[in-house]
Every structure is written in C-alpha cells, then in structure tokens.
Amino acid sequence: MDEDRAQQREQLRTALRACGADLTLFDDIFLDKLWDNYYRSVRGLQDARHESLIAAGLPLGLVDHISRLQASLGDGGARSTASAEDPTAAYLEDCLKTPAGGRGTLCQLLLHGNVEALWQCLATPVTPGLPLPPLAAQLPGLRHNLVPETQQAAPDELAMHVYSTVCDNLKPAGAGCSSEMYTAFLTHRLLERTLWLIAKHRKAAWLEMDRNVAVPVEPQRPAFMVWVKKALLFKGQEKAALGDLRLAVDELTSHTTEAWASGLLPTVQRPCMLAYAAAGSRIQFFCLKPAPSDNTGGKGSGGGSGRGRGSSGSGSASRRHAHAEPISNVLDLSDWEGRRAAVTATFNIWRLLEDYAESGQPAPEFAIGQSIESAGSHVSFHPGYVRKAIPQYREIHERYVSFELLEKLYERLQSPQHRHAIIKACKPPRLDADGTYVVHLAPLGTPCTGPPDNEEELAAAVAGVLRGLAALHAEGYVHRDVRWANVIYLPEDGRWMLIDLELAGLEGCDCSRSPFPLRYWSPRTLPLDKKYRAASDLRMTAEQLMCGAGSFSLSEAGVDLRDKLMRAVEEDTGGSSGLTAEQALKHPWLRR
C-alpha cells in the first residue's frame, strides 16, 4: 500500500509540476486528498472547481494557489468550456498524449517489430485511468485500476462504455454460446467499439474498420480489419471453441499478412502487423512478422500464457506467410480483469496506430483486404491478386460478353508469350450458384486516374497498353474499353498494364445493336459496318490516352503516333493491311 501511495504522489507531483505549481506547498496529506478525490492529472487540476477542492479537505490557501495556476495557464477557461462541450474528447486527450519520446516513437515499434517493447506498450496502464460512472466506483477490485467520474467535465460516454464492457458479467462461452458470432460479439464490444468511440471523439479521418461479413464469407479476408491510411495494421481472427485458439493463430499467419501489397511501395519499409486471435472467451494479441526463409517456426503451445514463449500456433509450414509473436498473455474475457486488460491493450493499440498515422509514413493507393464497388462490380484486394465479382452475371452483364467467351479468353492469355503483357486470371473464372461471376486477377498495381505528368511516362504507359492489345489481338479478341481507368502502374517494374477484360469481344464482333455503343466510345470508334475490330482499340488508345494529355504538349513523334492510331479505323479494310498494335510498338516515340 505504501508503495502504491508513493507512486500516486509522484504521478500527482508530475501533473502539478506541469501546471507550474509550487510543490513545497503540497504536503503528502494534501497530495493524498487530491488523489483520493480523483484530481490526478493536468486536465483534472485544470477543471477542478473551487468549492470542490474545499470539500475535498484542502486548505483555502492551497485552493487559491490552484485557482491561480488555472488562470495562469491562459486557456483554462476555454479548455473548461471545451471539456463541457465534449468531456470524453477532453479526457481522451489526457489518455492518449504524444509519447514521451516525441511523435514517431511508437511508430518505430511497428516499423521494427520490437516484440518486447510492443508487449510492454500494450500492458501500459491508461493514465489517468479508465473512467466509470459514479455509482460503479465502489465495485470490488476496481479502485486502483479504474477511476470513477468526477463531477467536473465527466467523460460520460467513455465511462458508460467502460462500465458496459469491463464490468458487465458476460456469460462465458458454453451451452448456447459457442459460436463464432458469440466470439465476434465479445471482440466487437471490447475492441471494435472502443476503437470506434476513440475515433469518433478524436475525429480520426485516417482510420477505417471493417468485418468480413460478405455472403458467402471471403475465406482470405480476416474476420476484423483496421486500416491506417490504407495500410492494414491491425486484424483479428475469431473461432467458436475455446480450444481453437491455435487454429485462429494459424489463420492469422496464412491469410492477408502484409500491410500492403508487395511491389506497391517497393522502396518503403513495411511495418509489422498487429493482430489478435480469439476463441470463445479467450483472446491473445500478436505481432506478425514475415516468416523465416526456411518456413519453420517456434513450437507453439496452443496459446500458452507464458510471456515471450513464441507463437501459440505454427500452422502448416507450406501455407504460412508470417510468424506470430505474442505481445500479451492469453486473456480470459469472462473475467473482468481479462476484459480490463483487453480494453487497456486496445487503448495502447490506438496510440500505436495514431502515431503511425501522424508520422508522415507513405500510404499505398489501395487497402489490402478492403472491398469497393466499381461500375457494378465488387472488387476486393488481397496479397498477390484482386478478386472481382459481378452479381447477376447472366441477367445483367452477359448482354455485353458471354461467360464462355471470358473463360476461353483468360485461358488463351495464359500462353507464355503473353506472360507480362496483360492482366491474367490466377485461376479460371467461375459462376457461383447465386449467379455471381468471380475471377481472381494478377498482378496488383496502382490504378491510373489520368495521364502521367510527363511525356516520357506517357509513352511508357501507351506502350504498356499496346502490348496488352497486341496480346488480345493475337488471340482473336478485342478489348472495347481502353481508357485510363483500365490501366494500372506496376511501381516495382516501372511499367503500365492493361486490365479489365470483362467487356472484351471477338475480333469483328457486331456492335450495331443495344447495349452498344458503350459509354466511352466516340462516334468514330466503329467503322461504317458497326463491327468492332482491332483498329477500334487503337483509335480508343489515341482518343482516351493521348488527347488532352495533361500539362504538357506532345512532341512531333508523339503527335505522329497519335495521328496514325486515330486513322486506324478509317484505314482498316477488314483485312491485314491496316496498322496493328504490334506495328505501333515499333514507332520511334515508344522506342526512345
């Protein structure tokens, strides 16, 4: 008890020193009175009321001294007003201060994957404490771990959240409560809702969260995901049974283990990923690092509680892409101590994520594990591939191109001669039972939203598109939707690639009836007979990629190639005499 008192007094002296107080006036008995009445931080001292300090048993002279400190801080009145307007935000400001080492200190823990330091970080008590409503202040065992609201600028919303998550006697997993949904309910209340509440009051525009609730569930997506400026820095896997913690860890290490797709930011150091594995009412936090080159890992104990004993599950060596290092003990969420530790860890995870967000780290163009909707398609990004899904394919999309044609097209493009020319299907496209068209595509690249900033890069982009068209045309197909939205940049290779074949057709296909013409065709995209040939792809390349090319003017050579591509449809007679993509690739503008 004496040791606890000494620590409390030292913490309070630190707060008083920050306010500019004369510490010689504050005998231990007065420090104890301040602490016992929950004036434990700079914020608490700033917001303390004169009459409340008198009621706490402090002498009038000391109360006047504290009042003068409040006035000398300059913004005390404004901050008190702010506290009254959003006391939870004010309280969180105290809880989530910039690290003592300055901005970027915690970010370095993520960049270097310092397991010992991360363990210590997650276990760091929240200061001044996790608040509780006044009526809950006397709950047994809580006095030195949680603090009740004071009457000054009480953080009502945060206090009620802590009470509902930590103090509620949640029923442990058992009969009728042994499902993944029950596990998800626990982690949602303790982790996700805590992060959501902090984000709401901190106005954190850099944070995105999602759960894998697609029907059917995408097996490669984690159960829970948190992105910081599109970098996946925190995720979770959840299982129903208490004994499945090791299985949850195995999935952590084999599914979506990179903060962003390899090759998108080739010169940027990727941070480690924070994660949790939950099974029934148990949870454990981990730091995920790239797996050793020999694909072997330390022997796990199935989630043993010993600190620093390695991953609680090694998984299949052939499937594992990361190594899971524990950064917490296994916590029992059916016990309030375990729930308190989980909420404390979540607060500290926020501090890590916020420091990363505000440390100026480069951000990828898109988020691994995230799903977006684009022109009627559902697109999700995964390490090494993109999953594209088109619902109701037969009813809606097949009027443009048949599923059977796309099957054959992707099969033909697997030829070694087209290896680096155009987007590929990792495995044949399929039609699911609900009629959804699904295809996994590679490689991943940065989507283009318009032309590059200079002519040299524009020439490289046009060359990449023409290589893709040459591959399509060689197999007897046409693209029919050449534009910047269907071009990606591969930073690691420094080249551009044509994508999105779901509007492709056969060479010479009849486009005289609905649903044609397509949205981005010009009146001169089709020849007079309304049959879409390879020459129409070349004209689209000129119109969509080389006309109005940003802030620079094309050189004479660039204008020459553009004019040739623009005339391709007019000069095409339906035979082999017109300009081809293969021939265009030999133009001097593209061979500089």
Side-chain angles (χ1 to χ4, degrees):
M1 184 64 180
D2 290 341
E3 184 177 346
D4 289 343
R5 271 299 187 192
Q7 292 176 352
Q8 293 165 6
R9 291 166 183 165
E10 187 55 38
Q11 180 177 325
L12 192 47
R13 287 190 186 99
T14 300
L16 288 164
R17 192 178 295 113
C19 293
D22 181 356
L23 295 183
T24 62
L25 301 176
F26 290 85
D27 294 338
D28 287 349
I29 187 172
F30 300 139
L31 292 174
D32 293 344
K33 288 179 182 295
L34 285 169
W35 185 271
D36 292 343
N37 285 274
Y38 305 101
Y39 301 111
R40 301 174 177 178
S41 65
V42 173
R43 170 68 67 187
L45 291 166
Q46 280 185 304
D47 293 335
R49 296 177 181 175
H50 189 278
E51 58 272 20
S52 298
L53 293 171
I54 293 291
L58 296 181
L60 182 60
L62 200 56
V63 174
D64 289 341
H65 179 67
I66 293 174
S67 297
R68 287 193 294 273
L69 291 177
Q70 292 172 335
S72 68
L73 289 174
D75 65 340
R79 295 190 67 177
S80 294
T81 300
S83 297
E85 291 175 353
D86 188 353
T88 295
Y91 196 88
L92 288 170
E93 184 76 23
D94 268 353
C95 295
L96 302 168
K97 287 186 175 71
T98 301
R103 181 66 65 205
T105 304
L106 297 179
C107 174
Q108 291 301 313
L109 300 186
L110 292 176
L111 291 175
H112 298 292
N114 188 326
V115 172
E116 190 71 22
L118 286 169
W119 187 300
Q120 293 174 1
C121 178
L122 262 62
T124 301
V126 177
T127 303
L130 296 174
L132 286 173
L135 293 178
Q138 303 306 317
L139 290 176
L142 297 184
R143 182 173 180 81
H144 298 296
N145 297 288
L146 306 171
V147 298
E149 292 181 357
T150 64
Q151 296 304 307
Q152 297 82 29
D156 302 321
E157 190 173 1
L158 180 60
M160 291 307 301
H161 171 72
V162 173
Y163 179 74
S164 67
T165 55
V166 176
C167 303
D168 273 3
N169 185 22
L170 300 178
K171 183 180 179 181
C177 294
S178 55
S179 68
E180 287 189 13
M181 184 170 288
Y182 173 75
T183 305
F185 168 74
L186 285 177
T187 60
H188 169 77
R189 290 187 66 183
L190 290 162
L191 279 63
E192 188 175 348
R193 288 286 300 175
T194 299
L195 292 173
W196 177 87
L197 180 65
I198 298 173
K200 170 187 170 183
H201 291 279
R202 301 282 281 181
K203 296 179 173 58
W206 45 264
L207 183 86
E208 295 178 87
M209 295 188 290
D210 194 15
R211 280 192 169 270
N212 189 8
V213 294
V215 181
V217 170
E218 293 184 40
Q220 295 300 314
R221 294 187 78 211
F224 176 60
M225 295 150 283
V226 178
W227 297 273
V228 175
K229 294 185 175 179
K230 298 193 181 302
L232 181 59
L233 296 188
F234 184 39
K235 69 171 186 175
Q237 287 294 137
E238 296 154 354
K239 295 297 172 186
L242 289 172
D244 283 346
L245 191 62
R246 181 168 184 160
L247 179 58
V249 176
D250 180 53
E251 292 185 0
L252 283 179
T253 59
S254 58
H255 297 165
T256 316
T257 60
E258 301 173 336
W260 56 75
S262 177
L264 288 185
L265 296 171
T267 62
V268 177
Q269 179 182 359
R270 266 187 294 192
C272 69
M273 189 183 296
L274 303 176
Y276 70 83
S281 59
R282 292 179 183 170
I283 190 170
Q284 187 173 18
F285 294 92
F286 294 88
C287 168
L288 301 185
K289 296 181 177 182
S293 57
D294 63 358
N295 241 355
T296 61
K299 295 180 181 180
S301 59
S305 59
R307 176 175 174 177
R309 296 183 182 233
S311 169
S312 56
S314 60
S316 169
S318 63
R319 291 174 50 219
R320 204 171 72 182
H321 306 300
H323 183 66
E325 293 278 359
I327 52 176
S328 80
N329 290 318
V330 177
L331 307 177
D332 184 358
L333 302 183
S334 66
D335 175 74
W336 81 263
E337 281 279 13
R339 296 193 296 274
R340 178 193 61 79
V343 172
T344 298
T346 304
F347 262 77
N348 289 313
I349 286 170
W350 175 276
R351 295 173 61 230
L352 288 160
L353 301 183
E354 186 174 57
D355 199 48
Y356 183 92
E358 297 183 359
S359 296
Q361 297 299 314
E365 290 291 331
F366 58 82
I368 286 294
Q370 204 165 64
S371 296
I372 61 172
E373 288 194 27
S374 175
S377 302
H378 300 280
V379 178
S380 57
F381 302 97
H382 303 268
Y385 72 94
V386 174
R387 181 184 186 272
K388 183 175 183 179
I390 305 177
Q392 298 179 284
Y393 188 88
R394 294 287 193 194
E395 293 84 352
I396 298 175
H397 199 83
E398 197 158 51
R399 60 189 182 136
Y400 299 105
V401 54
S402 72
F403 172 74
E404 290 73 19
L405 185 147
L406 288 176
E407 267 191 314
K408 291 179 181 178
L409 168 58
Y410 279 116
E411 181 183 0
R412 299 291 291 273
L413 291 177
Q414 295 300 325
S415 170
Q417 70 189 82
H418 307 316
R419 183 178 177 187
H420 299 297
I422 196 167
I423 198 77
K424 300 290 193 308
C426 304
K427 50 188 176 182
R430 69 176 192 267
L431 273 180
D432 287 346
D434 63 355
T436 300
Y437 166 91
V438 178
V439 63
H440 292 183
L441 302 164
L444 277 73
T446 301
C448 294
T449 57
D453 295 330
N454 58 72
E455 187 177 14
E456 183 178 357
E457 290 187 350
L458 176 63
V462 171
V465 169
L466 288 172
R467 278 191 290 271
L469 292 177
L472 280 173
H473 298 167
E475 298 297 339
Y477 296 91
V478 286
H479 189 276
R480 301 198 299 190
D481 198 24
V482 181
R483 51 194 176 94
W484 283 117
N486 293 329
V487 180
I488 58 172
Y489 176 65
L490 307 175
E492 196 167 30
D493 299 336
R495 61 190 178 93
W496 283 258
M497 177 176 283
L498 184 63
I499 64 168
D500 201 344
L501 307 184
E502 274 62 43
L503 287 175
L506 288 170
E507 163 73 22
C509 54
D510 182 9
C511 296
S512 61
R513 294 184 296 274
S514 179
F516 303 104
L518 298 182
R519 178 179 178 183
Y520 294 96
W521 292 1
S522 76
R524 300 176 67 182
T525 299
L526 293 175
L528 294 177
D529 63 3
K530 304 298 182 184
K531 292 186 177 180
Y532 196 108
R533 301 185 183 90
S536 295
D537 277 344
L538 300 184
R539 183 172 179 91
M540 284 201 78
T541 302
E543 290 178 341
Q544 294 289 328
L545 308 186
M546 301 179 70
C547 292
S551 59
F552 57 89
S553 299
L554 288 178
S555 63
E556 184 177 339
V559 171
D560 181 68
L561 176 60
R562 183 186 64 192
D563 291 347
K564 284 182 167 61
L565 296 174
M566 293 284 276
R567 294 195 301 270
V569 172
E570 299 171 6
E571 296 177 356
D572 179 41
T573 61
S576 58
S577 58
L579 179 69
T580 66
E582 199 68 54
Q583 291 167 347
L585 281 166
K586 298 176 182 178
H587 193 278
W589 188 63
L590 303 177
R591 299 175 66 84
R592 292 183 297 177

